[in-house]
Amino acid sequence: MNIRKNLLVWLTILHVALLAPLALASSGPAEAEAEPEKGPHRGRMLRDGEFAVELSIFEIGVPPEFRVWVTHEGKAVAPKDVKLNVKLTRLGNVVDDINFYAQGAFLRGDMEIYEPHSFQVSVFASYQGKRFKWHYDNFEGRTTIETAVAEAMEIQTGIAGGATLHQTIPLYGKLFYPPGASRTVTARFNGVITKSHITLGDSVKKGQVLYTVESNESLRPYQVTAPMKGRLTAVFAYEGEQANGQPLLEITDTSTLAAQLQVFPKDYAKVAIGAPVTLSVSGSDETLSGEVTYLAPGITDNQARTLWVSIQNVPESLTAGSFAKGLVEVATIDVELAVKKTGLQGFRDFTVVYAKVGEEYEVRMLELGREDDTWIEVLGGLEPGTEYVTENSYILKADIEKSGASHDH
């Protein structure tokens, strides 16, 4: 495992090292282009001779939209005299076609500029019979990682779609042997135990001979046999002793463990008989499954109610008295769109996943809903069928933060 981790670290360093010269080259002679000219409205200035367009993303009190101010020879141009169109080409060749209409002293775009604000921008304007056009990249939250490098870094992806959420609550308690798991054995007739065929802790089968007893009445020997399979958990009588109706031993079926878990008042109403339960036991790596079979009507001194959980396929290594944690399912919800929580990262003020198109990765700002331990519902910001990063997304976050891509308003 350490070798694998070291390899991943080395590959990450190598990836950064390979990209560094490109980053330096782009920030050298073109340093002036790294920070585009801003206009009086904090928008990007686009110039062609004496004709200039200031393109700004405005989002105060409204969803993000384009607003444009136009000047010619340094003087404001009436918005109605300019025809303007902007095309935004997003990752995956999705094109937003935006037209403009005059409003007051500016031109206003006719559609929302939804997140992420990451696209190739093409601006087309016409004024006094002349046509103008500009093209530039406005990328944020985007990076490129070669397939071989992504595979070596174990960057895994999945397809966004529907999921079933299994909401659970954690409960704590102990394992125990349920009623009927233990039985005591007595002799049919009074007499002397002449032979003991077992010792404490032995495993026995149903019908196996446990004792030989000589009857006090007939003076003939008879055998005491096991009424069930299990393990000898207590021995009360030995050779030479009288078997006069008292218990001789106890047999416990150790394959039928259950759990007693404590439910506190705020969760009383959430737990139902038959609810699935996943159990983990202290000192064991085993994950067990079962269901709620009984909810005690009374409460304990700490105001908890006790529920019983039957356990399926009990390993021989487990025993009564072990501490247990149970995740009890309290709701099952089908949602139309969900992503794995392991893919979530923070970006600006958003929670995001990274969409993958070819060898390019880009943030998708999510509106989130209900969740369970594995999945979280997506209410907006991601299209169904999108391939997104599910594992090791932190590598992409680090790569994007290193590049320092800005949010151009």
Side-chain angles (χ1 to χ4, degrees), residues 22-263:
L22 297 177
L24 290 173
S26 63
S27 63
E31 182 102 25
E33 295 181 8
E35 182 61 38
E37 179 189 357
K38 297 289 185 179
H41 303 94
R42 299 302 300 158
R44 181 186 286 250
M45 292 300 304
L46 304 172
R47 298 183 181 276
D48 188 340
E50 295 296 324
F51 184 77
V53 168
E54 182 183 356
L55 183 66
S56 174
I57 297 179
F58 184 85
E59 51 187 331
I60 300 176
V62 296
E65 63 185 28
F66 275 134
R67 294 189 178 183
V68 175
W69 291 263
V70 182
T71 58
H72 183 245
E73 296 180 344
K75 297 179 181 179
V77 173
K80 64 182 180 60
D81 295 335
V82 180
K83 185 176 181 180
L84 188 70
N85 174 264
V86 173
K87 289 181 171 58
L88 306 178
T89 303
R90 296 177 179 271
L91 185 62
N93 292 320
V94 176
V95 178
D96 297 337
D97 194 349
I98 305 170
N99 293 305
F100 291 77
Y101 59 93
Q103 179 174 315
F106 58 86
L107 289 161
R108 183 177 184 181
D110 64 358
M111 70 174 289
E112 178 183 344
I113 313 302
Y114 57 88
E115 297 281 5
H117 295 172
S118 179
F119 24 64
Q120 294 173 320
V121 184
S122 299
V123 181
F124 306 92
S126 60
Y127 173 67
Q128 293 184 346
K130 294 184 179 181
R131 297 179 181 276
F132 306 88
K133 61 182 178 180
W134 297 269
H135 301 280
Y136 63 92
D137 292 338
N138 185 78
F139 296 148
E140 69 162 355
R142 183 186 294 192
T143 190
T144 300
I145 298 179
E146 294 180 1
T147 300
V149 176
E151 290 176 353
M153 293 179 174
E154 297 184 345
I155 296 174
Q156 300 177 27
T157 63
I159 303 300
T164 299
L165 306 184
H166 299 277
Q167 295 183 331
T168 61
I169 57 174
L171 303 177
Y172 300 87
K174 291 183 178 182
L175 301 185
F176 76 107
Y177 294 123
S182 297
R183 291 177 62 178
T184 56
V185 178
T186 59
R188 288 179 296 163
F189 309 107
N190 292 342
V192 177
I193 299 173
T194 58
K195 180 66 175 177
S196 175
H197 301 275
I198 44 79
T199 57
L200 182 65
D202 282 353
S203 293
V204 297
K205 298 178 181 178
K206 183 177 181 179
Q208 182 176 331
V209 176
L210 305 175
Y211 294 103
T212 299
V213 179
E214 183 181 283
S215 171
N216 288 342
E217 294 182 5
S218 67
L219 301 180
R220 298 179 62 180
Y222 69 92
Q223 294 177 330
V224 178
T225 59
M228 59 183 285
K229 72 172 184 177
R231 186 176 296 277
L232 300 183
T233 49
V235 175
F236 308 114
Y238 301 90
E239 292 180 10
E241 296 184 359
Q242 288 286 327
N244 294 332
Q246 78 271 24
L248 303 180
L249 53 76
E250 178 186 73
I251 301 175
T252 301
D253 182 359
T254 57
S255 66
T256 57
L257 275 171
Q260 289 182 329
L261 305 178
Q262 301 296 303
V263 187

Side-chain angles (χ1 to χ4, degrees), residues 4-46:
R4 178 181 289 274
K5 287 184 177 179
N6 290 337
L7 175 61
L8 291 178
V9 171
W10 182 85
L11 286 170
T12 304
I13 294 172
L14 177 61
H15 179 61
V16 173
L18 290 174
L19 292 179
L22 297 177
L24 290 173
S26 63
S27 63
E31 182 102 25
E33 295 181 8
E35 182 61 38
E37 179 189 357
K38 297 289 185 179
H41 303 94
R42 299 302 300 158
R44 181 186 286 250
M45 292 300 304
L46 304 172

